[in-house]
Amino acid sequence: MLTGGRTRPVQDGLRIETQLLALPAALSAPLRFESRRIVELCQRPMSLADLSAALAAPLGVVRVIVGDLLTDDYLRIEEQPDQLSVSLIERIRDRVRAL
């Protein structure tokens, strides 16, 4: 219901460690429910895994909603390193366990 029945995001390549940041105009956009909450949480960079844990929603659902927000220019992807640090991997692991 949250994704309109879609199981795949329109934005491909979203990894669980992808850092997202809301664009300034997003807070005044007519968004509802989880989309609004994602924009609020992404006022500072936040990973897809952190969003999933904060919303208590499955990662696949959050991926679809985030893909829509990226397409509509409410979020942007922060630059990502080619390799992940050990601390980031541990943080992701902990967040996924929290789900």
Side-chain angles (χ1 to χ4, degrees):
M1 197 165 172
L2 298 174
T3 63
R6 292 175 297 132
T7 58
R8 295 179 187 223
V10 292
Q11 180 81 25
D12 200 20
L14 294 172
R15 302 182 318 203
I16 62 172
E17 72 275 6
T18 300
Q19 295 290 308
L20 302 155
L21 184 64
L23 297 173
L27 279 177
S28 60
L31 300 172
R32 299 176 47 191
F33 309 116
E34 284 76 12
S35 296
R36 162 72 48 205
R37 186 71 183 125
I38 288 171
V39 165
E40 291 169 353
L41 290 167
C42 288
Q43 292 304 298
R44 61 176 183 81
M46 185 168 257
S47 73
L48 199 60
D50 289 335
L51 286 172
S52 181
L55 295 170
L59 190 59
V61 169
V62 174
R63 213 179 240 136
V64 170
I65 296 169
V66 163
D68 291 345
L69 291 169
L70 286 164
T71 299
D72 294 336
D73 291 326
Y74 295 127
L75 293 179
R76 75 167 191 239
I77 297 174
E78 291 289 284
E79 287 194 36
Q80 300 181 88
D82 289 335
Q83 291 192 340
L84 304 177
S85 69
V86 173
S87 65
L88 180 58
I89 292 171
E90 289 171 346
R91 206 171 105 222
I92 292 168
R93 177 200 61 206
D94 294 342
R95 297 291 184 175
V96 171
R97 282 185 183 164
L99 295 174

